[in-house]
């Protein structure tokens, strides 16, 4: 007997929504419904995916689908996801889960009370190279992790409803906390608006991880000539670099380091007394499988089996708490504890609600 098809509604046919439609349309026994309030985008979706069903409102189709992917701009995530969750539909929400702690808590609470799976799109946790990096960190071969440095830079894409931290840093907060198996307890921030005065477009974050006794430094930018996606983990014994832009060596492990030393030569007393270690550089083979495909297949599997997703709504809420702490850190300066920073996003613009629809879709 042929397997029943799973019908997934993708709300928002923009940059990420179109990618979800492409991936989901390629999965076995999956049908896609594209939901967007913009008729031109629906026409584009129909051209590329003629088998897809089209709709301008999630309300009109939510009872006819098995699951929902929310890929609208962040300011609309909560209103759209609530429609899906209240209808009892498993829901995947793109990062960030919401634009305030209160909204993220509402989504998590609604999912729990309805008994509906809620998943957040932390795509890099489904990246084979990031998983391999996690295995290296947890093997102990690097020694104690001293710090982690991440860079996520490119020219654009400028967002209308969130700043560069809320747009890009969820990936790096997700990756670093995934590697260390710990959420940061506090953050400090430097951020600046270079183009216009609405949103910061370059920022540096410092994250504290008390249990690991490590720090992470996150650099994000919409205003950089090169596309950079790099994570460097510095350990006491070895160091490792994950470069997502590399074609064939996405992970390189460096058997190098620095050790404290005694000063033997009085003439060198002005220098820092250290010795340097230098050894091999190795690059493990990592077969490529598109992380978004792995993530969306996992979501469909959870829809079919009722299993708990690997990146739950609670994990999305944890990241939103850190993002909210960055807002407070920008306002107050200094180091802000994550637990004390449950404030809404001051820069978030209100969602544009299409009259007659409960679930807004930003065009």
């Amino acid at each position: 007997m042929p397997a029943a098809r799973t019908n997934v509604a993708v709300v928002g046919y923009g940059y990420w929504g179109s990618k979800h439609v492409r991936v989901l349309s390629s999965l076995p026994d999956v049908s896609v419904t594209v939901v967007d309030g913009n008729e031109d985008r629906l026409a584009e979706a129909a051209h590329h995916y003629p088998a897809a069903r089209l709709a301008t409102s999630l309300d009109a189709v939510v009872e006819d689908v098995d699951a929902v992917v929310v890929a609208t701009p962040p300011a609309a995530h909560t209103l759209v996801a609530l429609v899906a969750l209240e209808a009892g539909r498993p829901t995947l929400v793109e990062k960030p889960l919401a634009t305030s702690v209160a909204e993220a808590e509402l989504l998590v609470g609604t999912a729990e009370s309805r008994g509906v799976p809620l998943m957040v799109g932390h795509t890099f946790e489904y990246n084979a190279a990031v998983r391999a990096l996690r295995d290296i960190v947890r093997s102990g071969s690097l020694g104690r992790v001293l710090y982690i440095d991440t860079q996520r830079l490119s020219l654009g894409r400028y967002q209308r409803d969130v700043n560069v931290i809320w747009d890009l840093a969820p990936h790096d907060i997700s990756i670093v906390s995934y590697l260390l198996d710990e959420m940061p307890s506090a953050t400090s921030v430097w951020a600046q608006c270079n183009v216009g005065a609405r949103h910061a477009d370059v920022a540096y974050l410092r994250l504290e991880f008390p249990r690991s006794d490590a720090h992470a430094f996150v650099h994000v930018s919409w205003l950089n000539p090169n596309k950079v996606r790099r994570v460097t983990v510095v350990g006491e014994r070895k160091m490792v670099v994950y470069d997502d832009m590399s074609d064939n060596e996405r992970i390189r492990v460096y058997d190098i380091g620095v050790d404290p030393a005694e000063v033997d030569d009085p003439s060198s007393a002005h220098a820092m007394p250290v010795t340097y270690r230098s050894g091999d550089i190795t690059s493990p083979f990592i077969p490529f499988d598109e992380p978004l495909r792995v993530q969306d297949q996992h979501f469909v599997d959870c829809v079919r089996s009722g299993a708990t997703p690997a990146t739950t709504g609670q994990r999305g809420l944890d990241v939103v708490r850190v993002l909210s702490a960055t807002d407070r850190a920008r306002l107050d300066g200094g180091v802000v504890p994550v637990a004390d920073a449950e404030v809404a996003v001051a820069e978030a613009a209100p969602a544009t609600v299409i009259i007659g629809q409960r679930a807004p879709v930003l065009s």
Side-chain angles (χ1 to χ4, degrees):
M1 182 176 179
R5 295 187 70 81
T6 302
N7 193 330
V8 181
V10 178
V11 185
Y13 190 76
Y15 180 77
W16 277 108
S18 62
K19 294 179 183 294
H20 282 286
V21 173
R22 171 181 59 79
V23 167
L24 290 166
S25 297
S26 71
L27 298 182
D29 301 314
V30 173
S31 300
V32 177
T33 297
V34 180
V35 182
D36 199 298
N38 185 306
E39 294 290 347
D40 291 337
R41 287 183 178 176
L42 288 182
E44 180 183 346
H47 174 73
H48 291 290
Y49 306 98
R53 181 183 178 186
L54 307 178
T56 58
S57 166
L58 179 58
D59 280 317
V61 297
V62 70
E63 298 297 336
D64 302 325
V65 301
D66 301 300
V68 176
V69 173
V70 180
T72 64
H77 282 182
T78 298
L79 292 176
V80 176
L82 281 176
V83 173
L85 294 171
E86 289 173 353
R89 298 301 184 264
T91 303
L92 166 61
V93 183
E94 264 298 338
K95 59 79 191 169
L97 178 63
T99 53
S100 74
V101 172
E103 288 184 352
E105 288 178 335
L106 176 61
L107 292 180
V108 171
T110 301
E112 290 177 350
S113 65
R114 302 277 177 162
V116 180
L118 174 61
M119 178 173 167
V120 65
H122 291 169
T123 314
F124 280 87
E125 294 186 37
Y126 300 89
N127 185 309
V130 174
R131 290 180 171 181
L133 179 59
R134 186 193 198 200
D135 290 342
I136 292 170
V137 170
R138 297 199 173 187
S139 72
S141 62
L142 304 180
R144 184 174 70 84
V145 173
L146 302 178
Y147 73 90
I148 299 176
D149 182 88
T150 77
Q151 296 173 292
R152 191 166 301 274
L153 323 172
S154 61
L155 190 61
R157 306 171 47 96
Y158 276 75
Q159 303 295 319
R160 291 189 298 177
D161 56 347
V162 292
N163 63 29
V164 70
I165 298 173
W166 281 78
D167 180 42
L168 298 182
H171 287 311
D172 299 290
I173 296 168
S174 165
I175 290 171
V176 176
S177 62
Y178 179 72
L179 297 179
L180 297 176
D181 194 25
E182 177 186 7
M183 293 303 299
S185 64
T187 183
S188 55
V189 176
W190 178 90
Q192 181 168 307
C193 304
N194 292 286
V195 177
R198 186 173 185 180
H199 295 311
D201 51 20
V202 60
Y204 294 83
L205 281 60
R206 179 179 181 270
L207 306 173
E208 298 181 4
F209 293 84
R211 193 182 72 235
S212 306
D213 191 24
H215 294 86
F217 304 92
V218 176
H219 179 196
V220 289
S221 176
W222 288 330
L223 195 59
N224 191 280
N226 298 314
K227 185 173 182 178
V228 180
R229 301 287 186 267
R230 184 180 297 120
V231 177
T232 302
V233 183
V234 176
E236 284 185 316
R237 291 199 295 270
K238 295 182 181 180
M239 306 178 190
V240 58
V241 175
Y242 155 54
D243 185 354
D244 196 58
M245 303 307 298
S246 175
D247 292 330
N248 54 8
E249 290 189 335
R250 287 189 292 161
I251 287 186
R252 291 166 65 92
V253 181
Y254 295 79
D255 186 9
I256 58 177
V258 179
D259 295 317
E262 298 295 332
V263 178
D264 296 324
D265 183 358
S267 65
S268 300
H270 66 281
M272 177 71 178
V274 297
T275 60
Y276 297 91
R277 291 178 283 105
S278 182
D280 294 334
I281 301 173
T282 59
S283 180
F285 172 72
I286 301 172
F288 180 77
D289 195 352
E290 184 183 5
L292 187 64
R293 190 205 68 79
V294 177
Q295 173 192 277
D296 285 4
Q297 180 67 70
H298 176 64
F299 176 58
V300 171
D301 291 343
C302 290
V303 171
R304 292 169 175 168
S305 67
T308 300
T311 50
T312 63
Q314 180 61 52
R315 180 144 177 76
L317 169 58
D318 290 341
V319 170
V320 167
R321 286 197 173 104
V322 179
L323 295 169
S324 290
T326 69
D327 286 340
R328 179 66 62 82
R330 290 187 64 202
L331 290 172
D332 299 346
V335 178
V336 172
V338 170
D340 297 340
E342 298 184 0
V343 295
V345 181
E347 296 181 335
T352 301
V353 180
I354 299 174
I355 296 174
Q357 293 183 202
R358 289 168 57 209
V361 178
L362 300 192
S363 58

